[in-house]
Amino acid sequence: MNINKEGQTFQSIQSEILIVGVSKNQEQLVGWLDFVEVFGNPITEWIKEGDIATDLKKLTKIPSLIPTTQVKRILFVGLGDRKTISTDELRESFGLVGKELHKLKAKKVTLWVDSFVTADIDSTEVSIIAAEGAGLGYYNVQNYKTSSNAIDVKIEEVSFITTADMQEIVAGFEVGQVYAEAVNEARTLVNLPGNILTSAKLADYAEELAKQYDFEIEILNKAQLEELGMGAILAVNKGSVEEPRVITIKYQATDKWEDVIGLVGKGVTFDTGGYSIKTKTGLVGMKGDMGGAAAVLGAMRIIGELRPSKNVIAVIGSTDNMISGEAFKPDDVITSYSGKTVEILNTDAEGRLVLADAVTYAKQQGANYIIDVATLTGGVITALGYDKTGALTNDETLFETFLEASLEAGEFVWRLPLTENDKKRIRKSDVADLNNSPGSDGHMIFGGGFVGEFVGDTPWIHLDIAGTSDAHGAHDLGPKGGTGVMVRTLATFIERLAKEDI
Ligand code: BES
Ligand code: ZN
Ligand code: ZN
């Protein structure tokens, strides 16, 4: 999509669609008189009479009857009273705009930036939020229908009307675009079926990404994992014909490889549960069990684009969890990369095993902080539902900064406790150092807590996205399917750390 950097006037717009924010007191908006002078006085009346809705998140599309302009339609976006709209609500409103633009197959679009400005949200923020929200809303899930003759529609050009500095508006819009595109890439990965997105394919994807952004990358295959003794991920992979991968990407922003943030993702490309097999309904959707890996790769894409001054290492453990005569089974005892032994009580608690080795590797490669992201437990859904990511941490200060980033991104995160008693239960085994499934009570904590055993004293945040990674239905910011959750929070977090020099 081309960004037209020439500021537009209402008379000169060359787009088919003009997007305008509209509130109850619209006449007070600076520029409103210029707008109605070109597009017609009755518009003010239509707003008063409710023919153009001002309600929050209500869109009204009217044809332009003015022969002297290229504009075919005006898309009004209801802002309520304009005073109380939050950045989250504005982003969601733009999500709806994105959906509408997709439906209309819009090619050229003009955004009247100033019509969305509020007391709390300035024009640069509007441009970021507009690009991000519309970019997310615009996303459609790729399908494999042979009857589908849908041509990939794309917006060709966007331009702006604003009294603010055009360079700042364009820069803001570009940042929003980067964020949206990275999330959408993550969504696509989550949506890819397990027979198509194998661990090897995920590694190929990461390699492409690394090439594009000049990241250092290392991909360990099965033989190399065996050589290193990564017994935990290898145990999960034992029943599979697809070889596992451990993918490591390094982004070095400072001269010295220090203060390194480690992003660790669960990349289980399909989770049958293994011998502790899932139910037939539980199996459906398990192609998305690599949502953590997708979030990490999405965040790395943003980092590659925006290049914050913070060292980052991403480690992804990837395999599927299958059944065969070779597969690992309950009662097995395995030795992880760290040397710690684990008694397997449930082969469906495989994510924590994959993460155990990945976390150990990240630390060994220099990570001074660890954020792990995983579709780890059904327990988090029981605890928090489908709209909240569950968290654990061992570092209050780090978590505080993280929460601020999540609020800025509009992604809800809620922390659960991890107590000494929980740890005791994770460490309870007659035959090994740890067990991988202490019980079904509050088991989101056991999942994350198990990973914590391999993190040790390193400042750490665990994110369980089992509820938030895959949407069960369409939402304002996108369709049913992969959400790309945590991509924006992780990137925002790293940008904050870089700025605050933490
Ligand atoms: N991949 C699942 C968790 C999951 C559940 C993700 C629902 C997305 C939606 C994970 O590997 C798993 O099976 N966890 C088990 C752990 C249990 C056996 C201790 C669970 O949560 O049921
Ligand atoms: Zn599982
Ligand atoms: Zn799983």
Side-chain angles (χ1 to χ4, degrees), residues 266 268 271 278 286 289 321 348 350-351 375-376:
K266 169 178 174 183
V268 172
D271 181 12
K278 291 184 180 297
M286 280 304 139
D289 211 15
N321 184 20
D348 199 9
E350 86 298 342
T375 48
L376 205 65

Side-chain angles (χ1 to χ4, degrees), residues 367-383:
N368 303 102
Y369 305 83
I370 298 275
I371 321 290
D372 79 85
V373 200
T375 48
L376 205 65
T377 67
V380 76
I381 304 172
T382 310

Side-chain angles (χ1 to χ4, degrees), residues 115-296:
S115 70
F116 289 92
V117 169
T118 75
D120 299 321
I121 307 173
D122 67 21
S123 48
T124 308
E125 283 174 284
V126 167
S127 62
I128 299 173
I129 291 170
E132 187 174 287
L136 292 172
Y138 199 84
Y139 178 79
N140 264 52
V141 179
Q142 178 195 351
N143 72 52
Y144 303 87
K145 290 179 195 287
T146 51
S147 62
S148 168
N149 55 3
I151 7 160
D152 199 17
V153 289
K154 271 204 178 94
I155 296 176
E156 285 165 10
E157 186 182 283
V158 62
S159 57
F160 307 101
I161 295 181
T162 183
T163 53
D165 179 56
M166 186 55 70
Q167 261 178 337
E168 272 188 36
I169 298 300
V170 170
F173 197 85
E174 283 171 343
V175 169
Q177 270 188 307
V178 164
Y179 269 74
E181 276 163 21
V183 173
N184 290 341
E185 284 279 324
R187 289 172 168 182
T188 298
L189 285 176
V190 170
N191 292 333
L192 283 172
N195 62 328
I196 293 176
L197 188 76
T198 59
S199 299
K201 284 283 157 54
L202 188 66
D204 290 347
Y205 178 92
E207 200 152 22
E208 276 297 307
L209 182 86
K211 220 184 277 163
Q212 194 174 343
Y213 297 110
D214 210 17
F215 295 143
E216 201 183 303
I217 183 163
E218 175 197 65
I219 293 164
L220 299 172
N221 62 22
K222 188 175 174 180
Q224 290 166 307
L225 299 181
E226 280 166 351
E227 185 75 20
L228 287 167
M230 292 212 189
I233 183 172
L234 284 167
V236 177
N237 180 256
K238 256 183 105 194
S240 179
V241 293
E242 297 291 344
E243 292 205 354
R245 294 286 187 275
V246 169
I247 304 160
T248 305
I249 300 174
K250 283 184 188 168
Y251 166 71
Q252 183 156 356
T254 63
D255 289 345
K256 282 199 185 139
W257 185 241
E258 58 189 12
D259 280 335
V260 182
I261 308 288
L263 303 180
V264 178
K266 169 178 174 183
V268 172
T269 57
F270 193 85
D271 181 12
T272 67
Y275 275 101
S276 313
I277 196 164
K278 291 184 180 297
T279 61
K280 58 177 176 274
T281 48
L283 282 162
V284 179
M286 280 304 139
K287 66 176 182 180
D289 211 15
M290 29 54 68
V296 168

